[in-house]
Amino acid sequence: MPVAAVFLPLLGSIIAGFFGRFIGDRGSQLVTCFAMVASAILAVILFVDVALHGQSRVVDLFTWMDTGDLQVQWALRFDTLSAVMVCVVTIVSTMVHIYSVGYMSHDHSIPRFMSYLSIFTFFMLMLVTADNFVQMFFGWEGVGVASYLLIGFWFDRPTANAAAIKAFVVNRVGDFGFALGIFAVFYLFGSLQFDTVFGAAPEISKATLNFLGHDYPALTVTCLLLFVGAMGKSAQLGLHTWLPDAMEGPTPVSALIHAATMVTAGVFMLARLSPMFEYAPGALATVVVVGGTTAVFAGSVGMAQNDIKRVIAYSTCSQLGYMFFAAGVSAYSAAMFHLMTHAFFKALLFLCAGSVIHAMSGEQDMRKMGGIAHLVPATYILMWIGSLALVGIWPFAGYFSKDMILEAAYAANSGVGYYAYWLGIFTAFLTAFYSGRLIFMTFHGKPRASHEVMHHAHESPGVMLWPLVLLAIGAVCAGFLGFHYFVGDGREHFWHEAILVLPANDTIERAEELPFWVGKLPLAVGILGLGLSWVAYIWKPSLPVATAARFRTLYLFLLNKWYFDEIYDFLIVRPLFALGVGLWKKGDGALIDGLGPDGLAATTRRISVGASRLQTGYLYHYAFAMLIGVVVLVSWYLLFPIGG
Amino acid sequence: MQNWPLLTLVTFLPLVGVVAMLILRGATEDIARNARWIALWTSLVDLFIALAIWFLFDPTTADFQFVEQAAWLPQFNISYQMGIDGISLFFVVLSAFLTPICVVASWGSVKNRVREYMIAFLVLETLMIGMFCALDFVLFYMFFEGVLIPMFLIIGIWGGPRRVYAAFKFFLYTLLGSVLMLLAILAIYFQTGSTDMVEALNFDFPAHLQTWLWLAFFASFAVKVPMWPVHTWLPDAHVEAPTAGSVILAGVLLKMGGYGFLRFSLPMFPEASAMFTPLVYTLSIVAIIYTSLVALVQQDMKKLIAYSSVAHMGIVTLGVFTLTSEGIQGAMFQMLSHGVVSAALFLCVGVVYDRLHTREIARYGGLAQNMPKYAFVFMVFMLASVGLPGTAGFVGEFLTLMGAFQANTWVAFFASTGLILGAAYMLYLYRRVVFGVITRDDVRAMLDLNWREVVVFVPMLAVVMWMGIYPNTFLKPMQPTISNLIESVQSSRETGHALAGHFRDHRTVRSVAFDAAVSGRQP
């Protein structure tokens, strides 16, 4: 059963990909959707079995690599952590598959699209069920490729191609760290099997590792290297630049990959490796700082974006920041809880945005929308549900998970913890503001679209709406249903051994004894943010324009996303290309070839030309040369007589 | 069947095909057609024999197998001696695998002097396989040098516009290195009194001699690999060579260098190897970063892949000298996977070159629209070259870098940047060729893969996936040989001379750190 749950999407993908031409568009949609539905049902059964009944298991498939010292298996590990992820991935993926049937109905290459979606799901499942670092890396890179393919799905658009390459290469920067981390793990532990590594982590935590000429605490440097991988995949500050550009892909892709599943792989990694990170306090503190900073950075940029998908993309980036600093204060279960609720409401938001874009004939700029609430009422309501869940209004899902994270950060009672808490509160305000802004600009006010577009605006078909309704149910209920198990009293029974938290770091336990205001502040700033956005975009629409004009520098700074792309382009991309040209023309061309083969050949030719010039063919030249020779020889012997 | 002279058979069978082709008579057309079929069948039978050898190969021992010995020049103690171990086995299989692919790939694209072309490839096959099987220095040297001749002709006769320059550059570059190797072989002969390689492997060379011998061999192998800065012949040779020539060049000829390091440099001169390890590391890292950057800015498809080959072979030389089981197995695996993947990439270039007769990247674009099959095939090999887990490219790169990390974290750090740069130049190439919008009519008129091209690519795809998903098939048979190699090198370093062993130092540091931290646990 576990094997079927993981490999059914692969099967669907292969059938749709290779035989799409024979079974047609409808056939490949049916095959992939059925495979996904079956996989999701199996996943739920497994979840009940594994998480609620405590039947963790590892299914060994076959040996992957065996070099003598290093043994790596293909295996499927099902404990609570992976069961949760498998559930989230298969359910969201199923919804996205079904939604795509409607959304992509006008596209030319439907089988290819469905095949890509399914292969992505397969890689994601391999990632979360990995039993060792290498298989995790397999899934990790696999989802990267699937993401690359899907971002560049419309390969005739130059921007989509550029975004696809950027996504892959930036992720590779993260994977560079991840790979080094894996090497360090093998170096330290002599194994890449999770159980072996986790068992030995307390001992190894006392060792040091010489990395790049300095001795560091072994686990801290290892965890930091692994964390670089997590930063890449989860678009944390510095390696986040690919995520907004990834919105070039079709919207269902953004919902599945760049909101609900793949980008959360970094959070999953932290939770999975909690038995290592717990012994690396330095790494955990770094995670908190990076997470908190990302949250506020992305939230601030989200305020100024005009593309509806980019707003949600930055929102994703920002919410991932929450999950990271939750993991950083050892509240892994809170991070996973937020991951789960976020998967529902963010997939919902993206798919709603897709529905809006579908209705507006492909328009994504919010400045050209407005006043369509009555035209797409179902989408409008669903969008509100998603936004309220994101803002964290009771009783929607985000309220429970975001509160827990912020409380845990406060309860950490450390400098970085307070840093994360206050940035998190500020981000909660930003989140509420841009969520309100998005809804008010899109649905309210006067229509700013052309007459023709407004005329065509229509509600999406049922095949697109029903998945949204199901996700909306998740966005409403996942919070209060899951609270007890994920972070409430039932959490120890729920997680079993899947997550390790040292007693000294148990911030969730301590979060129960916090002052009243700590837990209620996020809700307050959320309501405040929504209110302010209402003031700015409904009550006094002139206010944002005036503010932007007043603080023009700040506005441009946010609009241009803190100028990250420009700086990277200037500091890294251009110099590398220039260096490449220099090495090619100057290094290979002038220096190596010039001094090496070509130079030698030229010298040889010059010498032989000189030598051949001596051979003039005139007798008197030769006679004269002989005469000189005789004179020299005779003088030599006269000056230095033999034996004398 | 162990007593059959299988190695002689697999080595010289292609020459039977050559003889058959030589006696062909008739119209040029008929000769060409018959020559193609003869070449195909000969190489297929040879592949079958190579697979049989693999099947019969005993993967549990490090000894030479299928050994054949016959007196050749007894007065000089030179004998005809063949045998393979876990290191050479797969190179034999690889050579036999790529030759029929070359024959099919050249089926329609080579039109003049078809018979001579096919003869060149079959002779080349004999020489390549013979080189990997030879256990006598003279025999080895003959094959090693002989390989140059058909390759020189293939580039010089069936190559592109600058073929003569490229052919001479290739020939002289490699010959210069080989001449030094010849001197080294003579020195070994005068030391050991025989040209038997097995004897030389067990011989304890004095330290000062090791240094010189190592350098002489290094000169030859470094050019073959090619290592930076003696790599500049490779882009020229590839650009001018016909597609199948590039396939063999990238697929097998580059591996002769790596094979040489494993067969000679490491086991025969362990102390010199330790001494020069930092040099090899440095050159390898420079190769990886330097050529990756150069590959990034290429405008010629073949040149780009040629430069990427240099970077990938940099990983190989790095892995060989880490002297860890992961590093060396990774290097071996990387050579095999590069042999298939880069060969396939050159074939991918060949496909579009046959249709449009240009290798300029900017002339293409948007091929995904009219050549979906091609786009898929190219995508898989591109990703394999990038080292995607699940494909052949990953296992070798991953194991090598893992070995490098154990030897030296700086080396692993810099070498791993190849992960990023490799992705950058390959994806950039793929984007410019396959993605985008078709702007030119001649590009729009290009047809997708024909059945012959599909026949060429399908086995290569299967092998690339197989190597990625179940690499143990390849790792297992080479393990005894490699662990034996590592043990013998380490023991001769420890018992041998007072040269400070690079590796030993490192290992001591590591174990001290461990003992301090982890009481009683054996890493």
Side-chain angles (χ1 to χ4, degrees):
Chain A
M1 195 162 68
V3 179
V6 173
F7 284 90
L8 272 174
L10 176 66
L11 187 70
S13 169
I14 290 173
I15 294 176
F18 287 112
F19 306 103
R21 247 173 310 155
F22 309 112
I23 58 177
D25 291 353
R26 184 59 64 187
S28 34
Q29 284 164 346
L30 281 175
V31 165
T32 48
C33 288
F34 270 114
M36 274 320 303
V37 170
S39 167
I41 291 170
L42 290 176
V44 172
I45 297 172
L46 276 169
F47 173 78
V48 172
D49 207 30
V50 170
L52 303 183
H53 296 155
Q55 303 284 320
S56 301
R57 69 192 82 167
V58 176
V59 184
D60 273 330
L61 299 176
F62 55 90
T63 305
W64 185 3
M65 288 177 231
D66 180 357
T67 66
D69 300 339
L70 169 72
Q71 269 128 11
V72 180
Q73 290 281 322
W74 290 106
L76 304 178
R77 179 192 180 101
F78 275 89
D79 57 8
T80 306
L81 192 59
S82 44
V84 169
M85 286 302 287
V86 169
C87 253
V88 170
V89 170
T90 50
I91 291 174
V92 176
S93 178
T94 308
M95 297 305 138
V96 170
H97 270 77
I98 297 171
Y99 179 91
S100 304
V101 171
Y103 189 83
M104 300 297 284
S105 57
H106 303 304
D107 204 86
H108 301 301
S109 30
I110 289 171
R112 185 163 64 95
F113 184 75
M114 301 309 284
S115 171
Y116 285 175
L117 277 186
S118 286
I119 195 87
F120 164 79
T121 312
F122 165 70
F123 280 126
M124 192 68 206
L125 292 174
M126 287 301 274
L127 193 169
V128 297
T129 58
D131 190 38
N132 55 61
F133 284 90
V134 194
Q135 189 182 328
M136 197 171 182
F137 195 69
F138 166 80
W140 196 266
E141 292 256 292
V143 290
V145 167
S147 158
Y148 161 79
L149 291 172
L150 283 163
I151 296 169
F153 178 73
W154 288 312
F155 55 77
D156 45 0
R157 298 184 185 174
T159 47
N161 288 326
I165 291 190
K166 187 172 177 185
F168 197 86
V169 173
V170 174
N171 265 298
R172 266 282 163 124
V173 177
D175 294 353
F176 163 73
F178 191 1
L180 284 175
I182 295 177
F183 303 150
V185 168
F186 181 68
Y187 179 76
L188 290 167
F189 294 88
S191 167
L192 291 175
Q193 213 62 29
F194 282 149
D195 285 332
T196 320
V197 171
F198 296 164
E203 283 182 86
I204 296 287
S205 67
K206 296 166 213 138
T208 58
L209 173 69
N210 188 302
F211 184 68
L212 302 187
H214 291 280
D215 281 321
Y216 301 102
L219 276 186
T220 302
V221 63
T222 309
C223 287
L224 281 175
L225 286 170
L226 294 168
F227 177 61
V228 173
M231 283 175 67
K233 196 106 295 184
S234 295
Q236 294 298 289
L237 192 66
L239 295 179
H240 67 280
T241 53
W242 65 273
L243 182 59
D245 288 12
M247 298 302 127
E248 292 290 341
T251 308
V253 173
S254 313
L256 176 62
I257 300 186
H258 306 121
T261 55
M262 183 186 85
V263 288
T264 60
V267 183
F268 167 77
M269 182 218 259
L270 295 182
R272 171 57 85 211
L273 302 183
S274 57
M276 287 174 69
F277 275 83
E278 279 300 282
Y279 293 99
L284 282 178
T286 316
V287 173
V288 177
V289 173
V290 170
T293 316
T294 306
V296 75
F297 153 77
S300 73
V301 175
M303 306 262 293
Q305 299 303 307
N306 293 315
D307 183 317
I308 185 168
K309 282 178 73 182
R310 284 189 187 239
V311 175
I312 308 179
Y314 276 106
S315 159
T316 305
C317 196
S318 159
Q319 296 301 311
L320 289 167
Y322 276 101
M323 297 176 212
F324 268 83
F325 73 70
V329 295
S330 297
Y332 305 100
S333 51
M336 288 303 295
F337 188 32
H338 197 53
L339 188 161
M340 193 264 293
T341 59
H342 175 259
F344 284 110
F345 63 69
K346 194 51 70 67
L348 175 63
L349 279 174
F350 260 121
L351 294 183
C352 284
S355 180
V356 170
I357 295 165
H358 199 69
M360 303 295 287
S361 315
E363 183 57 61
Q364 301 196 7
D365 193 332
M366 294 193 296
R367 286 170 299 187
K368 294 181 185 155
M369 295 180 182
I372 56 166
H374 62 286
L375 294 173
V376 287
T379 306
Y380 176 62
I381 293 167
L382 291 164
M383 194 78 151
W384 260 116
I385 294 176
S387 296
L388 289 175
L390 168 65
V391 174
I393 304 293
W394 190 87
F396 294 94
Y399 167 79
F400 296 93
S401 49
K402 195 188 283 187
D403 257 24
M404 194 63 239
I405 285 177
L406 288 167
E407 283 176 9
Y410 192 87
N413 199 17
S414 61
V416 290
Y418 292 125
Y419 173 81
Y421 177 77
W422 288 110
L423 286 188
I425 292 289
F426 182 58
T427 309
F429 167 75
L430 297 177
T431 309
F433 187 86
Y434 65 67
S435 298
R437 173 174 177 265
L438 185 147
I439 286 197
F440 298 136
M441 276 182 85
T442 308
F443 293 99
H444 291 261
K446 288 203 189 73
R448 293 180 295 272
S450 70
H451 210 69
E452 202 181 340
V453 170
M454 287 304 285
H455 184 69
H456 283 296
H458 57 283
E459 185 61 275
S460 301
V463 71
M464 285 169 69
L465 285 181
W466 282 109
L468 295 186
V469 171
L470 290 175
L471 286 174
I473 293 173
V476 178
C477 305
F480 59 80
L481 287 183
F483 188 82
H484 172 75
Y485 297 103
F486 278 80
V487 290
D489 297 332
R491 66 178 188 278
E492 269 168 39
H493 178 70
F494 181 72
W495 290 110
H496 305 291
E497 313 262 290
I499 286 176
L500 178 94
V501 180
L502 295 182
N505 293 352
D506 197 349
T507 45
I508 292 185
E509 185 74 40
R510 272 182 270 152
E512 286 166 15
E513 302 135 19
L514 291 178
F516 177 75
W517 61 267
V518 174
K520 293 294 163 262
L521 198 55
L523 182 62
V525 297
I527 294 170
L528 179 71
L530 279 179
L532 266 180
S533 68
W534 181 80
V535 170
Y537 290 92
I538 299 286
W539 194 43
K540 275 188 93 122
S542 58
L543 197 63
V545 184
T547 320
R550 180 87 189 275
F551 302 101
R552 186 159 175 75
T553 325
L554 179 66
Y555 174 71
L556 284 178
F557 184 64
L558 294 182
L559 185 68
N560 289 303
K561 308 153 259 181
W562 293 27
Y563 294 102
F564 263 100
D565 282 331
E566 286 75 8
I567 292 170
Y568 282 174
D569 195 48
F570 180 74
L571 284 184
I572 299 171
V573 180
R574 278 162 200 278
L576 280 186
F577 270 88
L579 188 61
V581 173
L583 290 176
W584 178 33
K585 298 281 186 202
K586 298 270 159 25
D588 266 20
L591 207 64
I592 296 177
D593 272 355
L595 295 180
D598 293 351
L600 278 180
T603 316
T604 315
R605 189 174 306 136
R606 221 174 301 129
I607 293 171
S608 43
V609 166
S612 64
R613 220 175 264 151
L614 285 177
Q615 292 151 33
T616 53
Y618 295 112
L619 196 59
Y620 52 89
H621 281 179
Y622 295 146
F624 185 61
M626 279 169 72
L627 191 66
I628 294 176
V630 168
V631 169
V632 168
L633 277 175
V634 169
S635 338
W636 183 271
Y637 281 110
L638 285 177
L639 287 171
F640 310 101
I642 299 168
Chain B
M1 273 181 81
Q2 281 272 357
N3 297 328
W4 289 24
L6 276 178
L7 294 181
T8 302
L9 189 64
V10 77
T11 304
F12 292 103
L13 184 81
L15 293 187
V16 177
V18 170
V19 171
M21 274 191 253
L22 284 174
I23 56 177
L24 284 177
R25 289 290 177 270
T28 325
E29 281 297 300
D30 298 336
I31 291 181
R33 198 182 57 243
N34 289 327
R36 289 189 187 111
W37 281 107
I38 292 173
L40 180 63
W41 279 109
T42 316
S43 55
L44 280 178
V45 172
D46 211 38
L47 171 63
F48 176 76
I49 298 172
L51 292 176
I53 290 174
W54 182 8
F55 185 72
L56 295 170
F57 185 84
D58 176 6
T60 55
T61 167
D63 296 336
F64 284 103
Q65 302 182 34
F66 306 99
V67 175
E68 298 164 27
Q69 207 161 9
W72 184 16
L73 298 169
Q75 61 273 40
F76 298 111
N77 232 342
I78 296 172
S79 62
Y80 173 83
Q81 201 178 350
M82 305 276 261
I84 54 171
D85 63 359
I87 295 175
S88 38
L89 168 69
F90 287 110
F91 290 115
V92 173
V93 177
L94 180 70
S95 312
F97 175 68
L98 288 178
T99 308
I101 283 177
C102 285
V103 171
V104 180
S106 316
W107 206 268
S109 56
V110 172
K111 293 191 182 67
N112 65 325
R113 298 172 198 265
V114 176
R115 168 164 62 175
E116 288 74 10
Y117 182 86
M118 292 299 171
I119 288 176
F121 270 93
L122 288 187
V123 171
L124 192 55
E125 182 174 21
T126 290
L127 295 171
M128 291 187 303
I129 294 180
M131 196 219 68
F132 289 121
C133 296
L135 284 187
D136 183 278
F137 276 115
V138 175
L139 198 59
F140 169 82
Y141 189 76
M142 279 174 54
F143 285 126
F144 191 86
E145 289 297 275
V147 165
L148 289 181
I149 298 163
M151 202 64 211
F152 174 75
L153 295 175
I154 288 170
I155 298 175
I157 296 174
W158 291 276
R162 291 180 75 222
R163 55 182 180 263
V164 176
Y165 170 78
F168 273 99
K169 196 172 180 182
F170 159 74
F171 195 87
L172 293 178
Y173 236 127
T174 38
L175 194 68
L176 188 71
S178 310
V179 166
L180 292 172
M181 186 172 77
L182 182 62
L183 290 178
I185 288 177
L186 288 175
I188 291 175
Y189 175 69
F190 288 124
Q191 276 282 321
T192 64
S194 125
T195 55
D196 187 345
M197 273 157 60
V198 184
E199 219 165 283
L201 282 171
N202 296 323
F203 191 84
D204 201 7
F205 290 97
H208 68 280
L209 192 64
Q210 280 198 19
T211 311
W212 291 111
L213 291 177
W214 191 93
L215 282 172
F217 274 101
F218 180 74
S220 174
F221 299 144
V223 172
K224 272 271 162 37
V225 166
M227 294 177 78
W228 185 87
V230 286
H231 65 281
T232 55
W233 64 270
L234 186 71
D236 283 322
H238 269 310
V239 166
E240 300 307 325
T243 301
S246 289
V247 168
I248 290 294
L249 193 55
V252 185
L253 294 207
L254 302 193
K255 277 64 201 182
M256 290 160 62
Y259 173 74
F261 284 133
L262 282 171
R263 175 66 78 228
F264 304 104
S265 304
L266 267 190
M268 289 184 197
F269 321 120
E271 287 149 44
S273 297
M275 195 168 93
F276 287 114
T277 295
L279 172 74
V280 176
Y281 282 168
T282 313
L283 294 183
S284 305
I285 289 170
V286 172
I288 292 169
I289 298 175
Y290 180 111
T291 50
S292 295
L293 287 174
V294 175
L296 200 57
V297 296
Q298 293 305 308
Q299 284 126 28
D300 181 308
M301 296 165 85
K302 266 189 154 180
K303 233 175 189 171
L304 195 154
I305 297 169
Y307 274 111
S308 86
S309 285
V310 183
H312 282 135
M313 294 307 287
I315 300 226
V316 171
T317 47
L318 186 69
V320 168
F321 281 86
T322 57
L323 204 71
T324 56
S325 66
E326 285 74 33
I328 295 183
Q329 289 187 35
M332 274 294 296
F333 202 90
Q334 173 83 354
M335 282 196 265
L336 297 176
S337 83
H338 178 262
V340 181
V341 172
S342 70
L345 284 172
F346 280 116
L347 286 170
C348 285
V349 177
V351 167
V352 290
Y353 184 79
D354 283 348
R355 286 161 175 69
L356 217 55
H357 298 288
T358 172
R359 292 178 310 267
E360 198 191 331
I361 297 170
R363 282 283 279 115
Y364 297 93
L367 292 185
Q369 282 169 46
N370 49 352
M371 303 177 72
K373 275 187 246 170
Y374 174 73
F376 171 75
V377 168
F378 194 5
M379 165 76 71
V380 173
F381 291 122
M382 183 270 287
L383 290 174
S385 165
V386 166
L388 183 78
T391 64
F394 170 70
V395 181
E397 203 170 62
F398 183 77
L399 292 178
T400 309
L401 294 174
M402 184 118 85
F405 193 94
Q406 295 177 61
N408 187 327
T409 50
W410 281 105
V411 173
F413 182 83
F414 285 114
S416 298
T417 56
L419 288 177
I420 307 167
L421 296 171
Y425 62 73
M426 283 314 286
L427 294 185
Y428 190 42
L429 166 73
Y430 190 80
R431 171 193 168 186
R432 286 178 290 170
V433 174
V434 175
F435 290 151
V437 190
I438 298 183
T439 50
R440 287 188 168 87
D441 286 336
D442 52 357
V443 177
R444 190 171 292 119
M446 287 168 70
L447 296 173
D448 206 351
L449 300 183
N450 59 34
W451 64 268
R452 202 181 297 125
E453 286 159 341
V454 172
V455 166
V456 167
F457 281 124
V458 165
M460 301 189 96
L461 279 177
V463 169
V464 165
M465 298 307 290
W466 176 19
M467 288 177 81
I469 293 168
Y470 194 68
N472 252 13
T473 333
F474 303 88
L475 292 174
K476 271 273 172 276
M478 61 176 85
Q479 253 160 37
T481 314
I482 288 175
S483 53
N484 186 44
L485 169 75
I486 295 174
E487 264 168 44
S488 78
V489 171
Q490 260 162 0
S491 70
S492 67
R493 274 180 196 174
E494 272 154 32
T495 56
H497 312 267
L499 238 161
H502 171 84
F503 298 105
R504 226 164 57 212
D505 275 359
H506 183 77
R507 299 227 158 221
T508 340
V509 169
R510 177 182 167 184
S511 63
V512 167
F514 265 89
D515 292 343
V518 190
S519 46
R521 197 182 149 267
Q522 282 301 109

